[in-house]
Amino acid sequence: MIIYGVALLAACMLAGNIIGELIGMAIGVSSNVGGVGLAMLLLVFVVYRLQKAGCLDTSSRRGVEFWSSLYIPIVVAMAASQNVVGAVTGGPVALVGGLAVVAVSFALVPVIARLGQGKYAVALDDIETERGDRDA
Amino acid sequence: MRWPWTISKPSGVIAMHERLVDVFTSNGLITAFAAVGLLMLVCNLVSKHLTGGRIHGSAIAIAAGLVLSYIGGVATGGEDGLADVALFSGLGLMGGSMLRDFAIVATAFGVDVEELRKAGLNGVVALFVGIIMPFALGGAIAYAFGYTDPVSVTTIGAGAATYIVGPVTGSAIGASSDLIALSIAIGLVKSISVMIITPAVARSISLNNPSAALVFGGMMGTTSGVAGGLAATDARLVPYGAMTATFYTGLGCLLGPSVLYLVVRALLGG
């Protein structure tokens, strides 16, 4: 049932946030620490175990996948409800910061890719620029 | 009694207008679904026809969301962007932290543990370098621009990771809404430029194999930037890049408000 997937997701999120609160209390931060990240790791782990045990049917999966696919629209709604006016007065930090980070990141990709030429480091036969379909 | 029509008609029109607007405001979340869906439809068409697919529709939609947020902020003087306009108040719920975190946690569902094992050491190294380097660089730039308190530096630095890590970190450590908006803006600049630049530089950074794509996803972290950039380079590389990128946000949300914030606080004091 779809609700099983949604409930699993909800349980992971609540559990992650509870652990995050506990970590926050433990290290003396007045806030939740990494609750969302912990919930993600928890979901990965639980889904892995359930799939191994064969306890996760297609419709349950769909309950999680539905929310996963709403990620971008929700981010759009989030963007539309932010204090952009306040950010704009912050000036060119966003542009300078964003571009600087991207430039350095690109430069580091080949450096790290060369660290361990693993089993995947074989170039795909010929890069015919595949302008693949790009549904959001 | 003589003029019931002329007396009741204007108020009747107002009542009708109010009742119709009421349909939208009393179904705020549903209105937000419809409005965002429409916005994404328009943005996907713009992506396809005006940019030749070069800029991902979702990136355009997010940029449009920020622009609308700006317009809403100017029009209402509020702090919640377009959500301050009564008609679009549901955007605040749809884009609020509850549903946002719920959807983000759900994206972890796409990660296969077996595949992750195969990602090997460089994927993991890329993830950590890919989070810590932008955080440090973004934080340093924020500091240079006069944002010197730990919460501001951390929030803007986290925004330089992705536009998700920024707000999640910021709201966890109590950043103000304008800082969070700034962290989204910096993440958005990153995401859009990754999409545009990737196909142009793919060859010169040897981004032509799954291993490099794994590293690339871990370094960039922005899921839409990575997916859009790789799709424009070689669609076969997308799943590899997206796989590590999926972990990036979780790891960033884990490290941002905890270890990284504590490091910043130790460095800057307070």
Side-chain angles (χ1 to χ4, degrees):
Chain A
M1 279 176 64
I2 285 180
I3 187 62
Y4 293 160
V6 179
L8 172 68
L9 181 57
C12 285
M13 179 165 147
L14 294 173
N17 277 317
I18 286 172
I19 300 170
E21 290 292 338
L22 291 175
I23 294 175
M25 284 178 218
I27 62 174
V29 180
S30 64
S31 62
N32 192 302
V33 176
V36 173
L38 287 166
M40 289 175 90
L41 296 176
L42 201 60
L43 182 71
V44 170
F45 178 73
V46 171
V47 164
Y48 177 70
R49 294 302 290 268
L50 285 177
Q51 272 176 339
K52 282 263 170 177
C55 291
L56 204 66
D57 64 357
T58 321
S59 70
S60 303
R61 298 170 60 99
R62 228 176 279 152
V64 186
E65 281 161 356
F66 171 76
W67 284 101
S68 165
S69 60
L70 275 187
Y71 158 74
I72 293 290
I74 282 175
V75 168
V76 171
M78 177 186 76
S81 51
Q82 291 297 322
N83 187 2
V84 179
V85 176
V88 171
T89 56
V93 183
L95 202 61
V96 174
L99 290 177
V101 162
V102 170
V104 177
S105 300
F106 270 115
L108 284 177
V109 167
V111 176
I112 293 171
R114 258 182 238 123
L115 281 183
Q117 287 284 12
K119 49 190 152 185
Y120 285 130
V122 179
L124 295 171
D125 42 279
D126 199 23
I127 302 285
E128 273 297 308
T129 310
E130 285 180 28
R131 299 213 170 268
D133 51 358
R134 227 159 302 180
D135 320 329
Chain B
M1 294 302 281
R2 187 76 176 85
W3 310 103
W5 293 114
T6 46
I7 293 164
S8 66
K9 207 175 179 183
S11 64
V13 168
I14 291 167
M16 188 178 118
H17 175 256
E18 274 174 359
R19 279 184 61 177
L20 291 185
V21 170
D22 208 44
V23 171
F24 293 101
T25 53
S26 61
N27 295 296
L29 183 60
I30 309 301
T31 307
F33 286 150
V36 171
L38 184 66
L39 179 67
M40 292 203 65
L41 176 68
V42 171
C43 292
N44 280 326
L45 290 174
V46 168
S47 162
K48 202 170 173 185
H49 297 291
L50 294 186
T51 74
R54 196 168 289 273
I55 303 179
H56 208 288
S58 56
I60 299 174
I62 293 162
L66 287 170
V67 171
L68 289 172
S69 196
Y70 179 80
I71 295 169
V74 169
T76 64
E79 287 190 347
D80 293 322
L82 198 60
D84 281 328
V85 179
L87 198 59
F88 298 109
S89 58
L91 287 172
L93 179 55
M94 182 177 171
S97 63
M98 179 173 69
L99 288 182
R100 185 197 61 202
D101 292 351
F102 198 55
I104 292 167
V105 172
T107 62
F109 187 63
V111 174
D112 184 335
V113 177
E114 299 293 341
E115 285 294 313
L116 187 75
R117 281 187 189 142
K118 285 194 270 178
L121 196 62
N122 4 2
V124 177
V125 171
L127 272 173
F128 279 94
V129 176
I131 289 168
I132 293 166
M133 187 279 294
F135 180 84
L137 190 56
I141 288 169
Y143 193 85
F145 274 91
Y147 294 90
T148 51
D149 63 294
V151 169
S152 303
V153 168
T154 306
T155 305
I156 295 170
T162 69
Y163 53 74
I164 299 296
V165 178
V168 169
T169 300
S171 46
I173 61 175
S176 60
S177 175
D178 56 331
L179 270 177
I180 288 175
L182 188 55
S183 78
I184 293 176
I186 191 169
L188 189 68
V189 170
K190 183 182 181 186
S191 171
I192 291 179
S193 49
V194 167
M195 270 176 235
I196 298 168
I197 298 170
T198 303
V201 301
R203 203 172 281 265
S204 56
I205 62 169
S206 306
L207 184 58
N208 60 359
N209 60 79
S211 175
L214 279 167
V215 170
F216 175 76
M219 279 302 297
M220 298 305 176
T222 147
T223 311
S224 58
V226 166
L230 286 179
T233 307
D234 184 338
R236 290 170 296 177
L237 298 176
V238 171
Y240 300 96
M243 193 174 71
T244 36
T246 312
F247 261 91
Y248 185 104
T249 292
L251 194 58
C253 292
L254 185 63
L255 295 179
S258 56
V259 183
L260 296 177
Y261 175 56
L262 294 177
V263 169
V264 170
R265 213 170 56 164
L267 286 176
L268 299 180

